[in-house]
Amino acid sequence: MWAAAPLLLLLLLPLLARLRRRGAARLEPAGRAVLITGCDSGFGHLLALRLHRLGFTVFAGCLCPGGDGARRLQREAGGAGRLRVLRLDVTRARDVRAAKELVLSHLPQRGFWGLVNNAGISTFGETGWLPMETYEKFADVNLLGSIRTTLAFLPLLRKYKGRIVFMSSIIAYFTLGNGIYSMTKAAIEKFCDALRLEMKKFGVQVCIIQPGNYARSTKIQPPLSAEEIWSELSEEEKAVYNKEYVQERANFFNSILSEGSANGNEVVDAMVDALTSPAPKARYMVAKLKEKALVFVCALFPTAVMDSVLSYALSK
């Protein structure tokens, strides 16, 4: 009987956590500041508006603060007030420093509560199709950009015992023609795992959001034509692949994009919970059942099984 006690405890832990989440009072947003990166469009744009409506002071980082997305964000928020749009290119250290200075000079009464590392880029293509410059750019935006902003705001987050939210993806577990994106998301997951454990002693909580296919909710991945891909291939790659194969890959990936959910608010709901729940989850997977099943297979089955499943999917 006693041998089964550890297993029983493991089974009861999720239930106890759920009861704790239900019983405790949610956070009072008024007087607390949150900085969000990547607010020009997509999840960042939606989250900035949602947090503003809830009563947070919102610093909305935009790559193009004079662009359509940033101007629309200001209009939808009703002007200035508790929402400030600022230029924030997460690959530029001076932008991050300027963002921190702005936040420090406009901190509300309860201080700095949350950092949401949402900014990201995506593309698809087989490994040899992409030049080294593209790999460097993706690592700088999706991985180093999140680390850069986190390191800058960590002293404030420790001081106010706040929250850090990272945008990952179920693609951190597997790849279907977009290994460059998967690579950065798998890396940010490991960074978060280390950070989450280290921040516990300071009362800072770290959460990861793992959306499924929400391509139609964001502008992170526009469709690509076979001609666009072919024109960027090196002569060595063109000697290996023909245009028909490139067309097949483009059709395959573009069809996946077209099937993405258009309801980005499902992901924003998870982001809001991560910022306001008295007991936030370490990971929020927001995905369809078949996407969760794919993650399950990837996590629990031998690599050979997962390779077979993904090879079959790619062949279709």
Side-chain angles (χ1 to χ4, degrees), residues 15-289:
L15 177 60
L16 293 173
R18 193 174 302 164
L19 290 173
R20 181 187 168 200
R21 286 161 59 84
R22 287 180 179 176
R26 296 187 77 81
L27 180 83
E28 172 53 53
R32 287 186 165 93
V34 176
L35 172 70
I36 311 165
T37 67
C39 293
D40 301 79
S41 61
F43 300 136
H45 189 102
L46 293 173
L47 179 65
L49 291 173
R50 179 84 69 86
L51 294 183
H52 179 257
R53 286 196 294 268
L54 287 174
F56 283 100
T57 296
V58 179
F59 295 90
C62 292
L63 185 62
C64 302
D68 292 340
R71 290 200 301 268
R72 190 173 72 253
L73 183 60
Q74 289 176 313
R75 288 197 307 270
E76 291 168 335
R82 287 179 291 98
L83 189 146
R84 292 176 179 272
V85 170
L86 63 145
R87 174 180 171 78
L88 183 50
D89 179 345
V90 296
T91 70
R92 295 159 62 99
R94 65 182 183 184
D95 275 15
V96 176
R97 287 195 298 270
K100 184 177 180 180
E101 290 170 6
L102 180 68
V103 169
L104 283 170
S105 62
H106 294 88
L107 271 183
Q109 181 182 3
R110 291 176 173 170
F112 189 70
W113 175 250
L115 170 64
V116 181
N117 287 301
N118 168 73
I121 54 176
S122 179
T123 191
F124 69 92
E126 299 201 359
T127 303
W129 295 3
L130 305 170
M132 189 61 205
E133 292 79 13
T134 302
Y135 282 95
E136 291 171 346
K137 179 180 179 181
F138 270 70
D140 203 11
V141 175
N142 292 358
L143 175 60
L144 299 179
S146 291
I147 296 173
R148 193 173 284 114
T149 54
T150 298
L151 293 180
F153 284 90
L154 213 49
L156 275 176
L157 291 159
R158 285 194 294 249
K159 178 179 179 179
Y160 292 104
K161 301 184 187 301
R163 306 273 172 93
I164 317 176
V165 180
F166 290 84
M167 182 58 69
S168 180
S169 169
I170 63 168
I171 293 297
Y173 296 94
F174 60 87
T175 180
L176 277 172
N178 55 349
I180 189 170
Y181 185 64
S182 300
M183 169 194 77
T184 59
K185 293 307 180 183
I188 204 66
E189 291 256 350
K190 291 304 143 190
F191 174 75
C192 291
D193 286 344
L195 185 66
R196 185 176 61 255
L197 292 174
E198 294 165 3
M199 289 298 105
K200 282 183 179 293
K201 58 181 171 287
F202 300 107
V204 176
Q205 303 201 56
V206 179
C207 304
I208 303 172
I209 311 297
Q210 300 172 317
N213 184 1
Y214 281 84
R216 291 167 59 207
S217 303
T218 73
K219 294 181 179 179
I220 190 172
Q221 176 61 77
L224 284 177
S225 70
E227 283 300 323
E228 289 176 284
I229 299 169
W230 183 260
S231 67
E232 295 295 324
L233 294 186
S234 67
E235 292 304 316
E236 291 89 345
E237 293 300 307
K238 287 179 179 178
V240 175
Y241 298 96
N242 56 41
K243 283 189 175 182
E244 288 74 17
Y245 181 83
V246 174
Q247 184 69 65
E248 288 175 3
R249 294 298 90 206
N251 291 344
F252 170 77
F253 204 80
N254 287 332
S255 70
I256 290 178
L257 297 179
S258 68
E259 294 170 1
S261 172
N263 186 8
N265 281 305
E266 294 172 345
V267 178
V268 173
D269 289 343
M271 299 166 85
V272 171
D273 192 80
L275 288 166
T276 62
S277 171
K281 301 176 185 178
R283 283 176 167 83
Y284 291 80
M285 186 174 291
V286 190
K288 297 175 184 175
L289 182 59

Side-chain angles (χ1 to χ4, degrees), residues 11 26 69 209 211 215 279 287 290 298 303:
L11 293 173
R26 296 187 77 81
I209 311 297
K290 65 179 182 180
C298 180
T303 301

